[in-house]
Amino acid sequence: MDYQKIASQILELVGTTDNVSNMTHCFTRLRFNLKDSSKANKEKLLETEGVISVVESGGQYQVVLGNKVEKVYDAMLPMMGDLNMEDNSKDGEKGSIGTRILNTIAAIFTPTVPAIAASGMLKGILAVAVIIATNYYQVDLKTYQTYIILNAASDALFYFMPIILGYSAAKVFKTNEYIAMIIGATLCYPAIVELMTGDAGVSLFSINLTKASYTSSVIPIIISVFFLSYVQRFLDKYIPEVLKIIMVPTFSLLIMVPATLIVFGPIGIYIGEFVNWIYYYIMNFSPILLGAFIGGIWCVLVIFGAHRAIIPIGINDVAQTGRQNLLAFAGAANFSQAGAAFGVFLKTRNKELKTVAASATVTALFGITEPAIYGANLRLKKPMVYAVISGALGGALMGWGGSYGTAFANQGVLTIPVYADAGTKAFVCYLLGSAIAFFGACVMTVVLGFKDLEDNTTKKEIVVSELDYTVESPVTGQLILLNDVNDEVFASGAMGKGVGIVPKIGKVIAPENAVVSVLYPSLHAIGLTLENGVEMLIHIGIDTVELNGKYFEKYVEAGQTLTKGDSIVGFDIEKIKEAGYDPTISIVITNTQNYADVLPEKLSEVKELDKLMYIKN
């Protein structure tokens, strides 16, 4: 799969970089903040290779890619050029205040999810080990130093949560990450913890402080870093340039540490307690009702991105009490999506859908439900309804049984041990609830059915290519071996086999009828997909990306279809040399692995459209 090609197509179809004010990604989707969402072409995006679905939600334009998202994101980053996220975001679609809060919460917590999941998994493994050691070997594992060390590793993230969130919040609010971390570390500093948990009153500048334990807290540091961003901008504006490197961070700490302990910390604690009070008020009113609601509606919230608003409840619960039931109920929703997708796999006759459903079932069982939601269940509608019903039934049973987890861990088969410490009844109810959610959705999908997709597999045209391809030259110059190019990446063949050319004329043309799959903003690199399926990368110069497009001129756009001989990019060879860069061009076949070999033409001077290399099938 050509991730650069996919990234280029997606970027073009959301309106190019001119229409993007910000871009992030989570486990399964690219999240764009667009200046004008009407410029995005949803229909064409849905036809793009690798794209599972497109969702407009929470002020974001979301392109769902499943587990390929990180590779596509990495491929897209260089294409974003000099896009100033901070400045351009002001021009983007803002949405409501609630939408912006949801987006901010997601941006702060998303980078921490892998660490949270790892901590949860480790805690679950330790919980199972303790149960086995106690019940079968009558050994108190918690007294062993190995357990103490590993348990510390599983708890450290939550204990030092203010430091972790200080960093991610600073990235979001665009302020100094390390000053934010120092504020978080102050809240966790042993002497501060001792003061705040002791019997005596605590004061700062003769102002009595609200006593609270800030270790494992979530909201206080986020509020504090938010205001830090404004304080830092104010200081940057008025402190002379020569003093900024010392005085801005110094005054930031002198202002924000007292402000956090006197004002923002207590406010954050009270907000967290209020949110938890609402959640547990419903829980105490009817745990069955709460379990059914979360188990049924969770994956619907995922579609709209609204689940992000309540995720901090579970994180805060684990940090403060060492347990949470939110993700127990959400686990029922995940297992129901897996069951519905498995039902689709069993019943559909569409070969492509069967493949998608099989893969989606596995990923949903491991806690990633988007492929199941967008690739099968929501796409077919009825399986989504069956999943909601089954998830609600499973969640209701978990609520009745008092199921809870001892860590904040992604909901799937690997994290089942996290719920084992809750007691026999609670754990059995969690297992039964998960089973009801999975098998209930699967049985309903198979028995009650859905409108199947037509199987177009046999209708697809089969293209039989020629045995060998001759590739012609897109530039004029002296042909050299690729391993003689002064660029280790290309010379090593890591990008694919090909040739090098020392150019004599500063112009690149289409060597065949082709599509421009990639055109970097700096114009130094062009990706072409030739008519015969050959994927070619033309890289102009060594390290010329640093010129940011200076001395280059483009004649085409990414995604454009070219006829053999069309001009693509012009470049000034002499100016590039004067700037201290080597103009040697690397031309590689990026899908080399699809062919038996790629062989260069004899080393000599070549002109545009002369024979350059041969591709052997």
Side-chain angles (χ1 to χ4, degrees):
M1 182 172 289
D2 189 337
Y3 296 108
Q4 288 189 333
K5 178 180 177 182
I6 294 171
S8 175
Q9 290 174 340
I10 291 173
L11 186 57
E12 183 72 21
L13 293 172
V14 297
T16 73
T17 55
D18 293 338
N19 194 37
V20 178
S21 60
N22 197 9
M23 178 186 72
T24 58
H25 76 93
C26 58
F27 277 138
T28 57
R29 65 188 82 183
L30 293 173
R31 299 175 178 272
F32 294 96
N33 290 98
L34 301 182
K35 299 175 184 177
D36 183 359
S37 59
S38 66
K39 291 183 179 179
N41 191 330
K42 185 174 182 179
E43 290 72 25
K44 290 290 186 182
L45 278 167
L46 290 170
E47 295 172 4
T48 302
E49 181 186 9
V51 173
I52 298 171
S53 185
V54 177
V55 180
E56 294 182 69
S57 173
Q60 290 184 328
Y61 202 86
Q62 303 169 9
V63 181
V64 183
L65 294 161
N67 57 11
K68 301 178 289 294
V69 65
E70 190 167 354
K71 292 181 179 178
V72 175
Y73 176 82
D74 290 341
M76 189 176 293
L77 278 180
M79 303 176 194
M80 304 303 288
D82 295 328
L83 182 66
N84 188 315
M85 297 298 187
E86 180 175 3
D87 293 341
N88 289 349
S89 63
K90 297 174 184 176
D91 302 324
E93 295 181 345
K94 294 292 187 181
S96 66
I97 184 66
T99 292
R100 280 181 278 168
I101 291 173
L102 285 179
N103 290 340
T104 300
I105 291 172
I108 291 171
F109 281 98
T110 296
T112 70
V113 168
I116 290 172
S119 297
M121 281 295 301
L122 183 54
K123 189 169 283 290
I125 293 169
L126 291 174
V128 172
V130 168
I131 291 172
I132 294 173
T134 302
N135 295 334
Y136 294 97
Y137 299 100
Q138 289 75 49
V139 173
D140 184 4
L141 206 59
K142 294 181 179 180
T143 62
Y144 284 72
Q145 293 178 350
T146 299
Y147 175 88
I148 293 170
I149 292 171
L150 294 178
N151 189 56
S154 70
D155 279 340
L157 171 71
F158 299 103
Y159 186 88
F160 295 108
M161 187 65 77
I163 303 175
I164 305 297
L165 292 184
Y167 179 83
S168 61
K171 297 283 283 187
V172 171
F173 297 131
K174 297 179 174 63
T175 189
N176 189 293
E177 295 94 338
Y178 299 99
I179 297 299
M181 292 172 71
I182 290 173
I183 296 171
T186 302
L187 298 178
C188 301
Y189 193 72
I192 300 295
V193 174
E194 186 177 351
L195 282 176
M196 289 296 184
T197 56
D199 296 330
V202 182
S203 64
L204 177 62
F205 301 131
S206 300
I207 300 172
N208 291 329
L209 300 183
T210 301
K211 294 180 64 175
S213 175
Y214 292 107
T215 58
S216 304
S217 62
V218 171
I219 299 176
I221 188 63
I222 294 175
I223 298 175
S224 180
V225 174
F226 173 75
F227 282 98
L228 170 66
S229 67
Y230 287 95
V231 169
Q232 183 177 307
R233 282 195 282 270
F234 175 84
L235 295 172
D236 273 332
K237 183 177 181 180
Y238 291 104
I239 291 179
E241 191 71 33
V242 69
L243 299 175
K244 280 184 180 179
I245 192 170
I246 296 174
M247 301 312 295
V248 170
T250 300
F251 280 116
S252 295
L253 282 177
L254 284 174
I255 293 169
M256 289 309 304
V257 169
T260 300
L261 292 173
I262 294 170
V263 182
F264 305 132
I267 289 175
I269 292 293
Y270 293 142
I271 291 174
E273 289 178 351
F274 177 70
V275 172
N276 273 0
W277 179 83
I278 293 175
Y279 181 82
Y280 281 99
Y281 177 82
I282 300 173
M283 179 71 183
N284 294 330
F285 175 76
S286 175
I288 296 174
L289 180 63
L290 181 63
F293 177 76
I294 299 295
I297 208 71
W298 180 265
C299 286
V300 177
L301 297 177
V302 168
I303 295 171
F304 296 102
H307 68 299
R308 292 172 283 166
I310 57 177
I311 280 178
I313 295 174
I315 295 176
N316 191 65
D317 278 354
V318 173
Q320 296 291 336
T321 67
R323 62 171 64 180
Q324 54 79 24
N325 51 29
L326 174 68
L327 292 191
F329 306 148
N334 280 13
F335 283 114
S336 72
Q337 292 296 330
F342 188 57
V344 171
F345 166 76
L346 294 175
K347 191 170 181 66
T348 184
R349 295 186 177 182
N350 182 295
K351 293 180 181 177
E352 181 181 353
L353 179 58
K354 189 179 284 289
T355 301
V356 170
S359 173
T361 299
V362 175
T363 56
L365 285 172
F366 286 92
I368 306 298
T369 56
E370 282 86 347
I373 294 172
Y374 299 116
N377 302 338
L378 187 62
R379 185 178 178 187
L380 300 170
K381 297 181 178 65
K382 286 186 177 180
M384 188 70 186
V385 175
Y386 306 147
V388 168
I389 294 171
S390 300
L393 292 173
L397 180 59
M398 293 176 186
W400 175 80
S403 301
Y404 66 82
T406 55
F408 188 92
N410 198 31
Q411 317 88 279
V413 292
L414 292 179
T415 55
I416 288 176
V418 169
Y419 301 92
D421 241 5
T424 303
K425 176 185 174 184
F427 186 50
V428 169
C429 285
Y430 177 79
L431 294 176
L432 289 176
S434 300
I436 288 171
F438 180 86
F439 291 107
C442 179
V443 170
M444 279 194 281
T445 301
V446 172
V447 175
L448 300 180
F450 53 87
K451 185 177 179 180
D452 201 2
L453 300 181
E454 182 181 358
D455 189 356
N456 295 318
T457 306
T458 57
K459 298 181 182 180
K460 291 182 180 177
E461 183 181 356
I462 299 175
V463 179
V464 179
S465 61
E466 297 177 6
L467 291 179
D468 298 322
Y469 304 129
T470 299
V471 178
E472 297 178 354
S473 179
V475 292
T476 295
Q478 178 65 43
L479 180 63
I480 62 175
L481 294 174
L482 188 62
N483 56 18
D484 288 334
V485 174
N486 190 27
D487 186 316
E488 185 178 345
V489 173
F490 289 104
S492 67
M495 298 293 292
K497 293 185 177 181
V499 298
I501 293 182
V502 179
K504 291 192 173 182
I505 298 176
K507 186 173 71 170
V508 176
I509 67 168
E512 298 286 347
N513 295 340
V515 174
V516 181
S517 54
V518 176
L519 182 60
Y520 280 77
S522 55
L523 305 181
H524 76 293
I526 305 116
L528 299 178
T529 301
L530 307 187
E531 209 170 39
N532 53 22
V534 173
E535 294 171 6
M536 175 185 290
L537 173 64
I538 304 169
H539 192 278
I540 306 168
I542 312 299
D543 296 327
T544 46
V545 63
E546 297 170 0
L547 292 171
N548 292 318
K550 192 176 182 181
Y551 310 132
F552 289 80
E553 182 180 6
K554 69 175 179 178
Y555 306 116
V556 299
E557 299 291 341
Q560 186 172 331
T561 300
L562 305 177
T563 301
K564 183 177 181 178
D566 285 350
S567 296
I568 301 174
V569 167
F571 56 99
D572 192 323
I573 298 173
E574 294 307 316
K575 290 286 183 64
I576 290 173
K577 287 181 178 178
E578 288 173 9
Y581 295 91
D582 182 347
T584 301
I585 298 172
S586 300
I587 302 174
V588 299
I589 306 304
T590 54
N591 59 342
T592 294
Q593 70 277 5
N594 294 346
Y595 306 105
D597 207 352
V598 175
L599 304 171
E601 176 63 52
K602 62 181 180 179
L603 303 183
S604 62
E605 185 170 314
V606 293
K607 297 179 180 179
E608 293 175 353
L609 304 183
D610 281 353
K611 291 180 181 179
L612 186 68
M613 51 186 155
Y614 301 93
I615 297 178
K616 307 292 290 183
N617 266 317

